[in-house]
Amino acid sequence: MIATLMLSASAAQAGGPVVVADDPVVVAPAEAAVDYDWTGFYVGLSAITGTFSDDGGLTSGGTSGYGLQAGYLRDLGKFVVGGELAYAQGDYDAFPANDWTSTRLKLIGGFDAGRVLPYGFVGMSKYDVGGASQFSDNVTIYGLGAKFAVSPKIAVGLEYLVENKSNFDNAGFDMENSELSLRLDYRF
């Protein structure tokens, strides 16, 4: 019996001291990117600057103005689609007596990049030139833009728009209006 105890004691010492392992390090999971949803109605204001020209160069020059817009977007995951109705008004820098208005209907398609929405659009507008000689016609529009969601309710954006028409108002000239607008939208 004494021999058994001695044998067990020497076997325990042969294994050496017992090492206690450190507590495992817990790593917090990485925060997932916030999935932003662009679905909903919006209204907004825009400040516009641009150029207007005809094929003969008779009325080319700078233009500036402001706009109002209202629309609806539907977020489908990676893609966003929607429509917008907008009204813009301004004047020509070289011809201050002549002002212009444009009522626009746009079909929008974009890519959902979280809080950023790059998009393109096509549509039609009713473009009117005022002053002594009144011209008016339906015009094709197209362009590109991007919106950034500052908060869930506020988005700011930049948009480039082109309106053009051959034989504008059957007056024998081709018109092109190019605009860059800074936009501020309130989302519902």
Side-chain angles (χ1 to χ4, degrees):
M1 176 126 145
I2 292 184
T4 307
L5 283 176
M6 286 177 68
L7 229 130
S8 352
S10 57
Q13 285 180 334
V18 177
V19 177
V20 178
D22 292 335
D23 289 336
V25 177
V26 178
V27 178
E31 268 189 51
V34 177
D35 188 25
Y36 192 82
D37 188 0
W38 287 95
T39 298
F41 289 97
Y42 64 90
V43 296
L45 303 170
S46 55
I48 299 167
T49 186
T51 60
F52 177 86
S53 65
D54 64 31
D55 59 347
L58 298 174
T59 57
S60 62
T63 179
S64 58
Y66 66 90
L68 306 168
Q69 64 265 0
Y72 178 80
L73 297 174
R74 176 75 176 148
D75 195 329
L76 303 173
K78 290 289 183 189
F79 299 100
V80 177
V81 295
E84 179 179 284
L85 181 62
Y87 174 81
Q89 175 177 324
D91 58 19
Y92 304 106
D93 298 343
F95 307 100
N98 288 330
D99 57 352
W100 58 267
T101 61
S102 180
T103 304
R104 301 164 174 164
L105 182 60
K106 300 177 189 175
L107 178 60
I108 300 169
F111 177 73
D112 184 347
R115 292 176 58 177
V116 177
L117 174 64
Y119 62 91
F121 61 89
V122 295
M124 297 293 293
S125 73
K126 175 96 164 70
Y127 194 89
D128 298 310
V129 178
S133 58
Q134 179 73 32
F135 293 98
S136 179
D137 209 339
N138 293 324
V139 176
T140 304
I141 63 173
Y142 56 91
L144 299 171
K147 294 183 182 201
F148 175 74
V150 177
S151 73
K153 296 287 184 187
I154 303 293
V156 295
L158 192 62
E159 185 175 276
Y160 176 72
L161 174 139
V162 175
E163 291 174 295
N164 60 23
K165 173 76 176 192
S166 297
N167 194 19
F168 184 78
D169 197 21
N170 295 318
F173 67 89
D174 300 336
M175 69 81 80
E176 182 172 303
N177 179 47
S178 300
E179 296 176 0
L180 187 62
S181 62
L182 182 61
R183 298 164 52 104
L184 177 66
D185 291 334
Y186 178 80
R187 301 180 64 238
F188 296 96

